[in-house]
Amino acid sequence: EDIYFYIINNAKKYLNITSPYILVDNHLQEDLIFAAARGVEVSIIVPALPDHLITFCIGKTFLETFVNKGIKVYLYQKGFIHAKTFISDNQIATVGSVNLDYRSLAHHYEDAVWMCGTPVINNIKEDFCTTIFKCREITPEFCRKRSFVKSLLIPILRLFAPML
């Protein structure tokens, strides 16, 4: 988690993230939002199709918050994407098994490779850019179209995020 905080807080131009799950704590959420607010182009790719429905539904509530705060969120349309990458400014990247959820960041022993200044980062960035063409961007308009019932459920669902 500290590596992710380092990457987020040191990004100058862009930060690209791919993760099947987005169930972040307040600190990580605020750092991502602050990065976007200070002019970093933050883009996140997540799957459009769930493998765990409850996790997916709760994760969508975070994605809507991100979209409304200027973070670009893309739904991968070609199936379930399971990649877990962070790429920043063509200089730093991670690839591994770490999801953006409590279990991966605090409970399980996940692993990732941290890279700095190596040419392979360009390959990871190229893969991210190619993958975006297989995605649909979530827009603020799309987020506003949710039903009244969903609006009521979002705060309740968020209470369960630390348990997933």
Side-chain angles (χ1 to χ4, degrees):
E1 187 175 29
D2 290 338
I3 295 293
Y4 287 157
F5 286 130
Y6 175 83
I7 295 170
I8 295 165
N9 292 314
N10 286 287
K12 304 282 188 264
K13 296 177 187 151
Y14 77 86
L15 173 62
N16 295 338
I17 300 169
T18 308
S19 180
Y21 312 108
I22 305 286
L23 299 164
V24 295
D25 63 17
N26 286 339
H27 188 188
L28 198 53
Q29 177 178 300
E30 292 302 318
D31 280 7
L32 287 166
I33 291 168
F34 182 65
R38 70 174 196 274
V40 176
E41 183 179 310
V42 181
S43 301
I44 302 172
I45 296 175
V46 296
L49 300 172
D51 67 336
H52 300 289
L53 186 59
I54 293 172
T55 303
F56 181 77
C57 290
I58 295 171
K60 277 185 76 173
T61 69
F62 289 97
L63 298 177
E64 290 180 10
T65 298
F66 289 154
V67 168
N68 291 324
K69 297 292 185 176
I71 295 173
K72 294 181 180 182
V73 176
Y74 299 89
L75 297 175
Y76 182 72
Q77 300 295 303
K78 300 289 184 179
F80 185 76
I81 191 163
H82 205 249
K84 295 131 181 146
T85 62
F86 264 62
I87 312 145
S88 176
D89 299 337
N90 293 339
Q91 291 298 310
I92 297 174
T94 64
V95 176
S97 65
V98 184
N99 294 305
L100 287 178
D101 63 14
Y102 171 77
R103 291 185 312 165
S104 283
L105 294 172
H107 185 64
H108 291 165
Y109 293 102
E110 301 285 353
D111 198 10
V113 175
W114 178 79
M115 294 163 264
C116 182
T118 178
V120 76
I121 294 171
N122 293 328
N123 299 59
I124 301 165
K125 170 69 173 170
E126 183 179 316
D127 181 66
F128 186 91
C129 292
T130 301
T131 304
I132 278 188
F133 289 110
K134 300 171 186 166
C135 297
R136 178 176 57 110
E137 186 173 0
I138 298 177
T139 63
E141 294 76 31
F142 176 82
C143 294
R144 282 192 287 274
K145 290 181 183 177
R146 70 173 170 243
S147 70
F148 178 71
V149 174
K150 283 184 183 177
S151 296
L152 291 176
L153 286 175
I154 286 173
I156 296 167
L157 288 173
R158 283 270 183 104
L159 292 173
F160 294 98
M163 294 180 245
L164 300 173

